[in-house]
Amino acid sequence: MFQKKADLPNFSRNDVLHTVAEFVICDDQLLAVVKKATFRNCLVAMRPSATKADIPSTHDITVFIHNSFLDFFKQIKSEIQVSHVYFHKLH
């Protein structure tokens, strides 16, 4: 669903990284799509004032996906530990 211009959030490089990473992962895209000129031009078309630093590179996306996975894994590990402690307190 498209947002109306008045409802658009402020630009955030982290939001762009998240959105592009989500596109790559959820749509089963190759990371190579990120460095294609046509894809990068789409990002610039959506934010004409974007600079080269605003547009994520393949390396940026790879690092973002890797770090997101590590954060997710830490969260799951923490939840398992809490569940394990809670389970042993019940028994």
Side-chain angles (χ1 to χ4, degrees):
M1 177 175 212
F2 292 105
Q3 293 177 323
K4 294 180 183 177
K5 190 167 184 154
D7 297 331
L8 289 176
N10 290 332
F11 174 80
S12 161
R13 188 166 193 279
N14 196 54
D15 288 344
V16 173
L17 281 168
H18 179 268
T19 302
V20 173
E22 185 176 34
F23 167 73
V24 168
I25 293 168
C26 294
D27 289 345
D28 200 23
Q29 298 292 324
L30 296 174
L31 277 169
V33 74
V34 175
K35 62 183 168 185
K36 292 200 176 274
T38 50
F39 180 79
R40 297 175 75 73
N41 288 341
C42 287
L43 295 178
V44 171
M46 289 183 263
R47 180 168 170 84
S49 62
T51 64
K52 188 174 182 177
D54 294 332
I55 307 300
S57 68
T58 303
H59 175 76
D60 296 334
I61 298 300
T62 303
V63 169
F64 184 85
I65 291 169
H66 176 79
N67 291 341
S68 296
F69 173 78
L70 292 179
D71 292 343
F72 177 73
F73 190 75
K74 286 177 192 174
Q75 179 64 32
I76 287 180
K77 185 177 176 183
S78 174
E79 289 174 12
I80 290 171
Q81 288 172 341
V82 168
S83 295
H84 181 73
V85 169
Y86 180 74
F87 176 76
H88 284 290
K89 284 183 179 181
L90 291 176
H91 293 95

